[in-house]
């Protein structure tokens, strides 16, 4: 009975964070919400007694994917604004 409650709570947390990840429009905030979603999924996998999957989810879903998104957004934003000395040479 108690385990079912924890699983249900984790599933609700996953559903809420996944919905928030879709609803957020700004890429930086979306990356942070994806990190929270990864943590929620890792908690769910831990409760479901899959610690190896939970560790993989922590590494990939909570750290690497949001980090790659943030780095990509940073690089795209840099390319969108040329430096002051570049002018119209391109």
């Amino acid at each position: 009975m108690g385990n079912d409650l924890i699983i249900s709570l984790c599933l609700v947390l996953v559903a809420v964070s996944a919905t928030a990840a879709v609803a957020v429009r700004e890429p930086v905030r979306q990356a942070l919400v994806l990190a929270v979603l990864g943590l929620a999924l890792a908690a769910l996998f831990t409760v479901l007694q899959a610690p190896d999957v939970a560790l993989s989810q922590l590494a990939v879903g909570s750290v690497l994917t949001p980090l790659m998104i943030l780095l990509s957004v940073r690089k795209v934003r840099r390319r969108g604004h040329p430096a002051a000395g570049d002018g119209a040479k391109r």
Side-chain angles (χ1 to χ4, degrees):
M1 181 69 180
N3 200 21
D4 291 339
L5 181 64
I6 295 172
I7 292 173
S8 298
L9 182 66
C10 285
L11 285 172
V12 168
L13 184 60
V14 166
V16 167
S17 58
T19 304
V22 172
V24 172
R25 295 288 181 197
E26 187 181 340
V28 174
R29 288 186 181 176
Q30 197 170 35
L32 295 175
V33 173
L34 281 174
V36 172
L37 174 61
L39 289 172
L41 283 170
L44 177 64
F45 293 143
T46 302
V47 170
L48 293 175
Q49 298 178 358
D52 51 343
V53 180
L55 285 173
S56 298
Q57 178 61 35
L58 276 175
V60 175
S62 298
V63 177
L64 288 179
T65 302
L67 180 63
M68 293 300 287
I69 291 171
L70 290 173
L71 291 174
S72 299
V73 167
R74 182 178 174 204
K75 187 160 188 131
V76 168
R77 286 186 180 168
R78 276 189 182 173
R79 284 191 180 178
H81 302 294
D86 287 349
K89 294 180 183 177
R90 296 181 187 190

